[in-house]
Amino acid sequence: NSSFGNKSSTNPTGTINAAGVKLGSFVITGGAGEDADVSQIALVDVSAGTGTNYNLNTYTQNVKLMHNGVQIAPTLASPASAASAVQTHTFNVSPSITVPAGGQYVVDVVADLKATQTSAAAIITTGAITASGHTTGTSANYSTAVTLQQSYIASNGGLAITISSDTPLATNLLMGATDQTLAKFQFKASSTEPISITQLVLSSQFTSAATGT
């Protein structure tokens, strides 16, 4: 699904303990002959070679398949794990979904995050997709693996503070004047997670000839 791109340190998938985060997205395209009924979708861990694997269980839990915000298969609470081998995670689609002939059906992979992944990489591919012709009932299975988008799971979010472009220019202020705007700042949270601000500390600097508190 080209509308959902790879993630990175500057645009992370999310942070640990975040719930309901989109890990990846793929498109099922119907054949030209007839509609297809999809009854099962498998996801597979990605092998990084030399005995290293990106196991879904390492980073996530409560994995769901979604379409337009609607869950299409039971939640996989705890994905299978094995440090030395990739695992296949099977979702039974119920009720089955019908992909129109020549049409497209977008499936999003959503999960709760439980561990950091600080090197951007894909952690899942599609596995076997079990389907049959809606009219004929003949097999329409698809088994070619499609590697989903790269993930990057951060340990926490970040906050940046900058001077707003419309902050007041340096000027003299009248003694006794009230509600004078001295400065404007912008607070920007990283895309990783919302930031709660509980305290602001301001300081001021005066010239040697000035007085004030």
Side-chain angles (χ1 to χ4, degrees):
N1 183 1
S2 59
S3 66
F4 183 74
N6 291 328
K7 300 301 181 180
S8 64
S9 58
T10 57
N11 183 27
T13 303
T15 61
I16 55 173
N17 300 323
V21 178
K22 186 190 293 188
L23 286 179
S25 183
F26 60 95
V27 178
I28 301 174
T29 302
E34 63 175 326
D35 298 351
D37 295 330
V38 178
S39 57
Q40 192 176 82
I41 297 173
L43 300 178
V44 182
D45 296 337
V46 170
S47 172
T50 64
T52 302
N53 306 296
Y54 291 102
N55 294 111
L56 193 61
N57 176 273
T58 301
Y59 305 104
T60 71
Q61 59 191 4
N62 299 323
V63 185
K64 302 175 184 179
L65 298 184
M66 311 287 288
H67 173 71
N68 288 340
V70 177
Q71 189 170 344
I72 62 173
T75 301
L76 184 63
S78 181
S81 64
S84 60
V86 298
Q87 297 293 304
T88 298
H89 314 281
T90 302
F91 295 81
N92 294 311
V93 181
S94 179
S96 61
I97 56 177
T98 300
V99 181
Q104 294 186 327
Y105 189 94
V106 177
V107 178
D108 296 328
V109 182
V110 175
D112 298 345
L113 309 180
K114 67 178 186 179
T116 58
Q117 180 198 355
T118 55
S119 178
I123 61 175
I124 47 175
T125 71
T126 60
I129 296 179
T130 304
S132 59
H134 185 73
T135 301
T136 65
T138 57
S139 174
N141 296 343
Y142 187 83
S143 59
T144 302
V146 175
T147 302
L148 300 191
Q149 294 81 4
Q150 292 183 351
S151 299
Y152 186 100
I153 303 172
S155 58
N156 56 268
L159 179 68
I161 303 175
T162 58
I163 298 175
S164 177
S165 60
D166 62 342
T167 194
L169 298 175
T171 185
N172 294 321
L173 297 176
L174 180 66
M175 183 72 73
T178 60
D179 296 330
Q180 300 298 294
T181 301
L182 302 180
K184 291 185 178 181
F185 301 94
Q186 287 185 330
F187 296 77
K188 183 178 181 181
S190 66
S191 60
T192 311
E193 65 174 338
I195 300 294
S196 298
I197 299 174
T198 57
Q199 186 180 57
L200 289 176
V201 178
L202 301 177
S203 62
S204 59
Q205 182 177 2
F206 297 95
T207 63
S208 59
T211 60
T213 57

